[in-house]
Amino acid sequence: MKPPFRAAALVLLWLAMLPCAAPASMVFVARRGWHIDIGLAVEDLTAPLNAVAADLPGTRYLFFGFGDKHYLLAKKHKAPAMLGALWPGAGIMLVTGLAGTPDAAFGAGSVVALTLTAEQMRILQSFIWKSFVANGEAVSVYQNGPYEDSWYFLATPKYSAFHTCNTWAAQALRIAGLHVHSGGVIFAGQLWSQVERARSVPAP
């Protein structure tokens, strides 16, 4: 082997031995008016959270949201139900499956995609999973949700005026290591402004 070819072969061998960086994944933050959901691609889900998508063929994304059980399941969302949601009570998880893209479902202006490392994705999925009332590594649908391809599951966190759907979403993103704080976050706008700023901050 001539010297130039030998040098090139050594360079290729050295490059092949370098550790490969794990491909980055995305978390999708969607604003539904006063409510914010956290979305993940089904192909990125790992056990045990992937159990939620086990019986959903054709679903490309799952969006997770937290809410007040009494309010969301009330037949009429009038003053008594709204006032009842202010007091600590049972929470519920809403899961929405998408066959299309998040932008197509919610509108491009209502979705922000943030990059996560493999470790951040693991932490985020662990937080979401622990929000479900589970039996080992299985969860059961409580009842159908308000949208097409959506379902309610019982939740472990309590809902109150100081721990709302948006507080939960902020906690999920903060625990995953994104530049978001959850203290004092009650309304969607408080979280959405942070999410838009986090869009320009790369994952560590």
Side-chain angles (χ1 to χ4, degrees), residues 36-65:
I36 287 182
D37 274 4
I38 303 296
L40 299 173
V42 170
E43 65 181 8
D44 289 334
L45 298 180
T46 57
L49 189 58
N50 59 2
V52 181
D55 298 319
L56 305 175
T59 299
R60 296 173 58 195
Y61 300 90
L62 285 186
F63 276 76
F64 303 89

PDB file of all heavy atoms in Angstrom, residues 36-65:
ATOM      1  N   ILE A  36     -52.084  23.748  26.976  1.00  0.00           N
ATOM      2  CA  ILE A  36     -50.878  23.365  26.251  1.00  0.00           C
ATOM      3  C   ILE A  36     -50.633  21.868  26.396  1.00  0.00           C
ATOM      4  O   ILE A  36     -50.713  21.314  27.499  1.00  0.00           O
ATOM      5  CB  ILE A  36     -49.659  24.174  26.727  1.00  0.00           C
ATOM      6  CG1 ILE A  36     -49.788  25.616  26.208  1.00  0.00           C
ATOM      7  CG2 ILE A  36     -48.354  23.545  26.248  1.00  0.00           C
ATOM      8  CD1 ILE A  36     -48.645  26.519  26.564  1.00  0.00           C
ATOM      9  N   ASP A  37     -50.351  21.218  25.270  1.00  0.00           N
ATOM     10  CA  ASP A  37     -50.065  19.786  25.212  1.00  0.00           C
ATOM     11  C   ASP A  37     -48.595  19.562  24.881  1.00  0.00           C
ATOM     12  O   ASP A  37     -47.944  20.394  24.238  1.00  0.00           O
ATOM     13  CB  ASP A  37     -50.904  19.113  24.124  1.00  0.00           C
ATOM     14  CG  ASP A  37     -52.279  18.692  24.613  1.00  0.00           C
ATOM     15  OD1 ASP A  37     -52.605  18.985  25.780  1.00  0.00           O
ATOM     16  OD2 ASP A  37     -53.022  18.087  23.829  1.00  0.00           O
ATOM     17  N   ILE A  38     -48.106  18.384  25.260  1.00  0.00           N
ATOM     18  CA  ILE A  38     -46.751  17.945  24.944  1.00  0.00           C
ATOM     19  C   ILE A  38     -46.859  16.760  23.990  1.00  0.00           C
ATOM     20  O   ILE A  38     -47.536  15.774  24.297  1.00  0.00           O
ATOM     21  CB  ILE A  38     -45.995  17.505  26.213  1.00  0.00           C
ATOM     22  CG1 ILE A  38     -45.953  18.640  27.246  1.00  0.00           C
ATOM     23  CG2 ILE A  38     -44.592  17.032  25.860  1.00  0.00           C
ATOM     24  CD1 ILE A  38     -45.182  19.843  26.798  1.00  0.00           C
ATOM     25  N   GLY A  39     -46.182  16.846  22.828  1.00  0.00           N
ATOM     26  CA  GLY A  39     -46.294  15.788  21.831  1.00  0.00           C
ATOM     27  C   GLY A  39     -44.968  15.114  21.517  1.00  0.00           C
ATOM     28  O   GLY A  39     -43.908  15.752  21.535  1.00  0.00           O
ATOM     29  N   LEU A  40     -45.044  13.818  21.225  1.00  0.00           N
ATOM     30  CA  LEU A  40     -43.870  13.037  20.866  1.00  0.00           C
ATOM     31  C   LEU A  40     -44.196  12.155  19.669  1.00  0.00           C
ATOM     32  O   LEU A  40     -45.339  11.697  19.520  1.00  0.00           O
ATOM     33  CB  LEU A  40     -43.429  12.144  22.037  1.00  0.00           C
ATOM     34  CG  LEU A  40     -43.034  12.849  23.340  1.00  0.00           C
ATOM     35  CD1 LEU A  40     -42.805  11.816  24.434  1.00  0.00           C
ATOM     36  CD2 LEU A  40     -41.810  13.711  23.139  1.00  0.00           C
ATOM     37  N   ALA A  41     -43.197  11.920  18.836  1.00  0.00           N
ATOM     38  CA  ALA A  41     -43.369  10.973  17.732  1.00  0.00           C
ATOM     39  C   ALA A  41     -43.477   9.565  18.300  1.00  0.00           C
ATOM     40  O   ALA A  41     -42.724   9.195  19.208  1.00  0.00           O
ATOM     41  CB  ALA A  41     -42.199  11.071  16.765  1.00  0.00           C
ATOM     42  N   VAL A  42     -44.393   8.776  17.769  1.00  0.00           N
ATOM     43  CA  VAL A  42     -44.585   7.406  18.255  1.00  0.00           C
ATOM     44  C   VAL A  42     -43.300   6.596  18.120  1.00  0.00           C
ATOM     45  O   VAL A  42     -42.971   5.782  18.984  1.00  0.00           O
ATOM     46  CB  VAL A  42     -45.751   6.737  17.504  1.00  0.00           C
ATOM     47  CG1 VAL A  42     -45.814   5.244  17.802  1.00  0.00           C
ATOM     48  CG2 VAL A  42     -47.076   7.398  17.885  1.00  0.00           C
ATOM     49  N   GLU A  43     -42.544   6.846  17.064  1.00  0.00           N
ATOM     50  CA  GLU A  43     -41.307   6.087  16.856  1.00  0.00           C
ATOM     51  C   GLU A  43     -40.253   6.384  17.914  1.00  0.00           C
ATOM     52  O   GLU A  43     -39.300   5.609  18.088  1.00  0.00           O
ATOM     53  CB  GLU A  43     -40.740   6.373  15.472  1.00  0.00           C
ATOM     54  CG  GLU A  43     -40.281   7.805  15.258  1.00  0.00           C
ATOM     55  CD  GLU A  43     -39.753   8.055  13.857  1.00  0.00           C
ATOM     56  OE1 GLU A  43     -39.887   7.146  13.009  1.00  0.00           O
ATOM     57  OE2 GLU A  43     -39.201   9.146  13.622  1.00  0.00           O
ATOM     58  N   ASP A  44     -40.418   7.506  18.648  1.00  0.00           N
ATOM     59  CA  ASP A  44     -39.472   7.848  19.709  1.00  0.00           C
ATOM     60  C   ASP A  44     -39.883   7.293  21.064  1.00  0.00           C
ATOM     61  O   ASP A  44     -39.106   7.369  22.028  1.00  0.00           O
ATOM     62  CB  ASP A  44     -39.328   9.373  19.825  1.00  0.00           C
ATOM     63  CG  ASP A  44     -38.571   9.984  18.662  1.00  0.00           C
ATOM     64  OD1 ASP A  44     -37.758   9.272  18.056  1.00  0.00           O
ATOM     65  OD2 ASP A  44     -38.795  11.172  18.357  1.00  0.00           O
ATOM     66  N   LEU A  45     -41.090   6.750  21.172  1.00  0.00           N
ATOM     67  CA  LEU A  45     -41.565   6.260  22.459  1.00  0.00           C
ATOM     68  C   LEU A  45     -40.868   4.958  22.838  1.00  0.00           C
ATOM     69  O   LEU A  45     -40.686   4.064  22.019  1.00  0.00           O
ATOM     70  CB  LEU A  45     -43.074   6.027  22.422  1.00  0.00           C
ATOM     71  CG  LEU A  45     -43.958   7.245  22.163  1.00  0.00           C
ATOM     72  CD1 LEU A  45     -45.430   6.848  22.159  1.00  0.00           C
ATOM     73  CD2 LEU A  45     -43.708   8.341  23.195  1.00  0.00           C
ATOM     74  N   THR A  46     -40.491   4.869  24.094  1.00  0.00           N
ATOM     75  CA  THR A  46     -39.875   3.655  24.608  1.00  0.00           C
ATOM     76  C   THR A  46     -40.704   3.138  25.785  1.00  0.00           C
ATOM     77  O   THR A  46     -41.583   3.834  26.291  1.00  0.00           O
ATOM     78  CB  THR A  46     -38.432   3.930  25.073  1.00  0.00           C
ATOM     79  OG1 THR A  46     -38.434   4.972  26.057  1.00  0.00           O
ATOM     80  CG2 THR A  46     -37.554   4.362  23.905  1.00  0.00           C
ATOM     81  N   ALA A  47     -40.432   1.921  26.196  1.00  0.00           N
ATOM     82  CA  ALA A  47     -41.169   1.328  27.322  1.00  0.00           C
ATOM     83  C   ALA A  47     -40.869   2.112  28.602  1.00  0.00           C
ATOM     84  O   ALA A  47     -39.748   2.555  28.815  1.00  0.00           O
ATOM     85  CB  ALA A  47     -40.773  -0.133  27.475  1.00  0.00           C
ATOM     86  N   PRO A  48     -41.873   2.301  29.462  1.00  0.00           N
ATOM     87  CA  PRO A  48     -43.235   1.775  29.342  1.00  0.00           C
ATOM     88  C   PRO A  48     -44.223   2.710  28.636  1.00  0.00           C
ATOM     89  O   PRO A  48     -45.355   2.330  28.398  1.00  0.00           O
ATOM     90  CB  PRO A  48     -43.636   1.595  30.806  1.00  0.00           C
ATOM     91  CG  PRO A  48     -42.916   2.699  31.512  1.00  0.00           C
ATOM     92  CD  PRO A  48     -41.596   2.848  30.809  1.00  0.00           C
ATOM     93  N   LEU A  49     -43.790   3.953  28.296  1.00  0.00           N
ATOM     94  CA  LEU A  49     -44.738   4.910  27.730  1.00  0.00           C
ATOM     95  C   LEU A  49     -45.290   4.449  26.392  1.00  0.00           C
ATOM     96  O   LEU A  49     -46.412   4.806  26.011  1.00  0.00           O
ATOM     97  CB  LEU A  49     -44.080   6.282  27.581  1.00  0.00           C
ATOM     98  CG  LEU A  49     -45.001   7.448  27.191  1.00  0.00           C
ATOM     99  CD1 LEU A  49     -46.123   7.638  28.201  1.00  0.00           C
ATOM    100  CD2 LEU A  49     -44.208   8.739  27.023  1.00  0.00           C
ATOM    101  N   ASN A  50     -44.536   3.635  25.646  1.00  0.00           N
ATOM    102  CA  ASN A  50     -45.031   3.187  24.350  1.00  0.00           C
ATOM    103  C   ASN A  50     -46.258   2.291  24.465  1.00  0.00           C
ATOM    104  O   ASN A  50     -46.930   2.018  23.477  1.00  0.00           O
ATOM    105  CB  ASN A  50     -43.928   2.483  23.552  1.00  0.00           C
ATOM    106  CG  ASN A  50     -43.357   1.276  24.280  1.00  0.00           C
ATOM    107  OD1 ASN A  50     -43.792   0.923  25.381  1.00  0.00           O
ATOM    108  ND2 ASN A  50     -42.375   0.638  23.670  1.00  0.00           N
ATOM    109  N   ALA A  51     -46.570   1.846  25.698  1.00  0.00           N
ATOM    110  CA  ALA A  51     -47.784   1.044  25.890  1.00  0.00           C
ATOM    111  C   ALA A  51     -49.032   1.840  25.548  1.00  0.00           C
ATOM    112  O   ALA A  51     -50.053   1.273  25.162  1.00  0.00           O
ATOM    113  CB  ALA A  51     -47.862   0.553  27.341  1.00  0.00           C
ATOM    114  N   VAL A  52     -48.968   3.158  25.676  1.00  0.00           N
ATOM    115  CA  VAL A  52     -50.124   4.001  25.375  1.00  0.00           C
ATOM    116  C   VAL A  52     -50.474   3.928  23.892  1.00  0.00           C
ATOM    117  O   VAL A  52     -51.646   4.051  23.508  1.00  0.00           O
ATOM    118  CB  VAL A  52     -49.852   5.465  25.790  1.00  0.00           C
ATOM    119  CG1 VAL A  52     -51.054   6.358  25.497  1.00  0.00           C
ATOM    120  CG2 VAL A  52     -49.487   5.544  27.272  1.00  0.00           C
ATOM    121  N   ALA A  53     -49.467   3.691  23.046  1.00  0.00           N
ATOM    122  CA  ALA A  53     -49.689   3.664  21.596  1.00  0.00           C
ATOM    123  C   ALA A  53     -49.784   2.250  21.043  1.00  0.00           C
ATOM    124  O   ALA A  53     -49.838   2.070  19.823  1.00  0.00           O
ATOM    125  CB  ALA A  53     -48.564   4.410  20.886  1.00  0.00           C
ATOM    126  N   ALA A  54     -49.829   1.257  21.917  1.00  0.00           N
ATOM    127  CA  ALA A  54     -49.764  -0.134  21.472  1.00  0.00           C
ATOM    128  C   ALA A  54     -50.888  -0.516  20.515  1.00  0.00           C
ATOM    129  O   ALA A  54     -50.691  -1.308  19.592  1.00  0.00           O
ATOM    130  CB  ALA A  54     -49.769  -1.070  22.678  1.00  0.00           C
ATOM    131  N   ASP A  55     -52.067   0.029  20.722  1.00  0.00           N
ATOM    132  CA  ASP A  55     -53.222  -0.367  19.903  1.00  0.00           C
ATOM    133  C   ASP A  55     -53.680   0.766  18.981  1.00  0.00           C
ATOM    134  O   ASP A  55     -54.870   0.897  18.696  1.00  0.00           O
ATOM    135  CB  ASP A  55     -54.381  -0.787  20.813  1.00  0.00           C
ATOM    136  CG  ASP A  55     -54.023  -1.986  21.667  1.00  0.00           C
ATOM    137  OD1 ASP A  55     -53.371  -2.912  21.137  1.00  0.00           O
ATOM    138  OD2 ASP A  55     -54.379  -1.994  22.861  1.00  0.00           O
ATOM    139  N   LEU A  56     -52.732   1.567  18.506  1.00  0.00           N
ATOM    140  CA  LEU A  56     -53.073   2.718  17.664  1.00  0.00           C
ATOM    141  C   LEU A  56     -52.327   2.654  16.336  1.00  0.00           C
ATOM    142  O   LEU A  56     -51.439   3.463  16.061  1.00  0.00           O
ATOM    143  CB  LEU A  56     -52.734   4.033  18.390  1.00  0.00           C
ATOM    144  CG  LEU A  56     -53.362   4.230  19.771  1.00  0.00           C
ATOM    145  CD1 LEU A  56     -52.847   5.510  20.399  1.00  0.00           C
ATOM    146  CD2 LEU A  56     -54.872   4.280  19.640  1.00  0.00           C
ATOM    147  N   PRO A  57     -52.648   1.699  15.473  1.00  0.00           N
ATOM    148  CA  PRO A  57     -51.969   1.603  14.176  1.00  0.00           C
ATOM    149  C   PRO A  57     -52.217   2.849  13.330  1.00  0.00           C
ATOM    150  O   PRO A  57     -53.314   3.393  13.304  1.00  0.00           O
ATOM    151  CB  PRO A  57     -52.595   0.361  13.531  1.00  0.00           C
ATOM    152  CG  PRO A  57     -53.925   0.221  14.202  1.00  0.00           C
ATOM    153  CD  PRO A  57     -53.722   0.693  15.611  1.00  0.00           C
ATOM    154  N   GLY A  58     -51.164   3.305  12.684  1.00  0.00           N
ATOM    155  CA  GLY A  58     -51.290   4.482  11.816  1.00  0.00           C
ATOM    156  C   GLY A  58     -51.075   5.800  12.534  1.00  0.00           C
ATOM    157  O   GLY A  58     -51.007   6.853  11.897  1.00  0.00           O
ATOM    158  N   THR A  59     -50.949   5.770  13.857  1.00  0.00           N
ATOM    159  CA  THR A  59     -50.713   6.995  14.621  1.00  0.00           C
ATOM    160  C   THR A  59     -49.239   7.348  14.578  1.00  0.00           C
ATOM    161  O   THR A  59     -48.377   6.524  14.900  1.00  0.00           O
ATOM    162  CB  THR A  59     -51.163   6.825  16.088  1.00  0.00           C
ATOM    163  OG1 THR A  59     -52.556   6.538  16.108  1.00  0.00           O
ATOM    164  CG2 THR A  59     -50.889   8.088  16.886  1.00  0.00           C
ATOM    165  N   ARG A  60     -48.933   8.575  14.184  1.00  0.00           N
ATOM    166  CA  ARG A  60     -47.541   9.016  14.066  1.00  0.00           C
ATOM    167  C   ARG A  60     -47.079   9.823  15.276  1.00  0.00           C
ATOM    168  O   ARG A  60     -45.894   9.824  15.607  1.00  0.00           O
ATOM    169  CB  ARG A  60     -47.360   9.847  12.800  1.00  0.00           C
ATOM    170  CG  ARG A  60     -47.595   9.082  11.515  1.00  0.00           C
ATOM    171  CD  ARG A  60     -47.556  10.026  10.315  1.00  0.00           C
ATOM    172  NE  ARG A  60     -46.286  10.747  10.231  1.00  0.00           N
ATOM    173  CZ  ARG A  60     -46.105  11.816   9.462  1.00  0.00           C
ATOM    174  NH1 ARG A  60     -47.101  12.306   8.751  1.00  0.00           N
ATOM    175  NH2 ARG A  60     -44.918  12.416   9.436  1.00  0.00           N
ATOM    176  N   TYR A  61     -48.008  10.523  15.917  1.00  0.00           N
ATOM    177  CA  TYR A  61     -47.657  11.361  17.065  1.00  0.00           C
ATOM    178  C   TYR A  61     -48.699  11.181  18.161  1.00  0.00           C
ATOM    179  O   TYR A  61     -49.880  10.986  17.872  1.00  0.00           O
ATOM    180  CB  TYR A  61     -47.597  12.841  16.676  1.00  0.00           C
ATOM    181  CG  TYR A  61     -46.593  13.162  15.600  1.00  0.00           C
ATOM    182  CD1 TYR A  61     -46.948  13.138  14.254  1.00  0.00           C
ATOM    183  CD2 TYR A  61     -45.274  13.480  15.930  1.00  0.00           C
ATOM    184  CE1 TYR A  61     -46.029  13.422  13.261  1.00  0.00           C
ATOM    185  CE2 TYR A  61     -44.342  13.759  14.943  1.00  0.00           C
ATOM    186  CZ  TYR A  61     -44.726  13.732  13.610  1.00  0.00           C
ATOM    187  OH  TYR A  61     -43.800  14.008  12.635  1.00  0.00           O
ATOM    188  N   LEU A  62     -48.248  11.270  19.399  1.00  0.00           N
ATOM    189  CA  LEU A  62     -49.147  11.299  20.544  1.00  0.00           C
ATOM    190  C   LEU A  62     -48.932  12.601  21.293  1.00  0.00           C
ATOM    191  O   LEU A  62     -47.790  12.987  21.564  1.00  0.00           O
ATOM    192  CB  LEU A  62     -48.892  10.129  21.490  1.00  0.00           C
ATOM    193  CG  LEU A  62     -49.385   8.738  21.082  1.00  0.00           C
ATOM    194  CD1 LEU A  62     -49.159   7.766  22.239  1.00  0.00           C
ATOM    195  CD2 LEU A  62     -50.842   8.748  20.683  1.00  0.00           C
ATOM    196  N   PHE A  63     -50.033  13.271  21.616  1.00  0.00           N
ATOM    197  CA  PHE A  63     -49.966  14.489  22.417  1.00  0.00           C
ATOM    198  C   PHE A  63     -50.595  14.217  23.776  1.00  0.00           C
ATOM    199  O   PHE A  63     -51.673  13.623  23.870  1.00  0.00           O
ATOM    200  CB  PHE A  63     -50.665  15.644  21.698  1.00  0.00           C
ATOM    201  CG  PHE A  63     -49.766  16.323  20.706  1.00  0.00           C
ATOM    202  CD1 PHE A  63     -49.479  15.743  19.486  1.00  0.00           C
ATOM    203  CD2 PHE A  63     -49.166  17.538  21.020  1.00  0.00           C
ATOM    204  CE1 PHE A  63     -48.620  16.348  18.583  1.00  0.00           C
ATOM    205  CE2 PHE A  63     -48.305  18.152  20.133  1.00  0.00           C
ATOM    206  CZ  PHE A  63     -48.029  17.570  18.908  1.00  0.00           C
ATOM    207  N   PHE A  64     -49.895  14.668  24.811  1.00  0.00           N
ATOM    208  CA  PHE A  64     -50.285  14.410  26.188  1.00  0.00           C
ATOM    209  C   PHE A  64     -50.653  15.719  26.872  1.00  0.00           C
ATOM    210  O   PHE A  64     -49.923  16.707  26.779  1.00  0.00           O
ATOM    211  CB  PHE A  64     -49.134  13.755  26.958  1.00  0.00           C
ATOM    212  CG  PHE A  64     -48.630  12.478  26.350  1.00  0.00           C
ATOM    213  CD1 PHE A  64     -47.619  12.495  25.396  1.00  0.00           C
ATOM    214  CD2 PHE A  64     -49.167  11.254  26.727  1.00  0.00           C
ATOM    215  CE1 PHE A  64     -47.145  11.321  24.835  1.00  0.00           C
ATOM    216  CE2 PHE A  64     -48.699  10.067  26.171  1.00  0.00           C
ATOM    217  CZ  PHE A  64     -47.689  10.101  25.217  1.00  0.00           C
ATOM    218  N   GLY A  65     -51.781  15.696  27.568  1.00  0.00           N
ATOM    219  CA  GLY A  65     -52.201  16.863  28.324  1.00  0.00           C
ATOM    220  C   GLY A  65     -52.797  16.441  29.649  1.00  0.00           C
ATOM    221  O   GLY A  65     -53.294  15.321  29.800  1.00  0.00           O
TER     222      GLY A  65
END
